[in-house]
Amino acid sequence: MNTSKSTGGTQSMRRALALLRVLAQHQEDGIDLQGVMARTGLERSTAHRLLSCLLEERFAERDPASRKYRLGVDSMQLGFASLRHTPLLDALRPFAQKLARLSGDTVFLVIRQGDYALCLLREAGSFPVKVFTIDQGERRLLGIGAGGLALLASLDDDEIALLYERHAPLYAQAGFTRTGLAKMVRQARQAGYATIVDTITPGVSGVGVAFPVSALTWVAVSFGAISSRLDASRRVEMGELLRAECRAWSREYAGL
């Protein structure tokens, strides 16, 4: 954990914030004290003291049986409050509008929320046939949809395997086998962008790119269009466009 930032006298705060990030990254299964120490580099006494404070303030909770930690109810309230008016969304809205103008297609902005992709924004392009496969505020399992697939491909293989195990019936219901999903992830990594064809709605295709906006948060932007418009050659064209535009936006906004 790097605490060598410019603002002085804030080491304890940075350590607590680093703990919150670790808890958020392990929200589904939880993480024990040893895991926290390994991920943060904190001594046992320091990690235990900070976790105890987060528990007292309800920013963390601990399962009595497994003794694993997760984010607490007050952390969740902060997250819910931020979704109503988030600087990130304000910053990304003009970007999504630009992409909708450039492509003429519907643009979707999704953010990772645990095992799910949450749709934060949808911008319709000028093409007469609009594609609305997901509504703002709706969420889907990672891997379902071009943006969700791009986010999934950003994870390591072990994490993807655990995620699939947790939701195997839902993936099967959506028509995604473990082998098929792994193949789509490999293709997305090789191309640098994710593509879907008729996987959610017949006759609808999509292209998506995921990128980090902070040390903790990844988002994905995707185009959606009818498959006759977003054929194989145009998927490549739009995928490369998304890669270039997302890279430029990340450098300007997040310095990544």
Side-chain angles (χ1 to χ4, degrees):
M1 180 181 62
N2 181 16
T3 59
S4 57
K5 304 285 185 175
S6 57
T7 306
T10 58
Q11 185 181 55
S12 294
M13 178 177 289
R14 293 191 189 282
R15 286 173 169 173
L17 291 173
L19 280 181
L20 288 173
R21 291 190 182 101
V22 169
L23 296 185
Q25 291 165 348
H26 294 81
Q27 185 67 6
E28 295 294 331
D29 298 322
I31 185 171
D32 60 18
L33 180 58
Q34 291 295 326
V36 168
M37 293 165 55
R39 292 298 302 270
T40 62
L42 294 174
E43 297 289 337
R44 183 183 185 89
S45 59
T46 302
H48 185 268
R49 183 174 67 254
L50 290 173
L51 284 168
S52 296
C53 178
L54 292 175
L55 288 171
E56 292 167 1
E57 295 296 328
R58 303 183 73 189
F59 278 86
E61 64 179 26
R62 186 177 64 176
D63 187 290
S66 68
R67 303 182 68 82
K68 290 184 176 181
Y69 296 88
R70 293 182 176 85
L71 292 178
V73 63
D74 279 6
S75 292
M76 299 301 184
Q77 288 300 326
L78 287 181
F80 295 148
S82 71
L83 287 176
R84 290 194 289 270
H85 185 77
T86 167
L88 175 61
L89 184 55
D90 292 342
L92 280 165
R93 183 176 284 106
F95 180 52
Q97 292 169 343
K98 174 187 176 182
L99 291 173
R101 288 195 303 270
L102 287 173
S103 66
D105 298 317
T106 305
V107 174
F108 300 91
L109 169 67
V110 298
I111 188 170
R112 185 185 175 191
Q113 189 181 63
D115 288 357
Y116 296 85
L118 172 70
C119 182
L120 290 181
L121 185 65
R122 184 182 68 194
E123 288 288 340
S126 59
F127 189 69
V129 181
K130 311 300 182 185
V131 170
F132 299 140
T133 57
I134 187 171
D135 291 326
Q136 187 171 333
E138 185 181 348
R139 66 178 193 168
R140 290 198 178 111
L141 277 172
L142 291 175
I144 301 177
L149 179 58
L151 288 170
L152 186 71
S154 71
L155 308 180
D156 61 48
D157 291 339
D158 289 340
E159 189 171 0
I160 292 174
L162 290 173
L163 191 154
Y164 190 92
E165 289 178 8
R166 287 195 292 269
H167 304 285
L170 292 177
Y171 278 116
Q173 183 179 345
F176 288 82
T177 65
R178 185 191 302 270
T179 301
L181 194 61
K183 180 180 179 181
M184 294 169 69
V185 165
R186 286 196 303 271
Q187 291 172 338
R189 289 171 178 168
Q190 290 168 1
Y193 53 87
T195 60
I196 62 166
V197 180
D198 302 335
T199 57
I200 300 176
T201 305
V204 171
S205 297
V207 179
V209 170
F211 54 98
V213 293
S214 74
L216 179 63
T217 305
W218 280 68
V219 301
V221 178
S222 63
F223 293 132
I226 56 174
S227 296
S228 59
R229 173 174 168 80
L230 202 57
D231 59 14
S233 62
R234 193 164 186 271
R235 288 197 297 273
V236 173
E237 178 188 353
M238 291 296 99
E240 295 298 336
L241 172 66
L242 268 184
R243 287 183 65 188
E245 290 292 334
C246 290
R247 190 180 304 117
W249 187 92
S250 295
R251 284 197 300 265
E252 180 179 351
Y253 176 83
L256 299 172

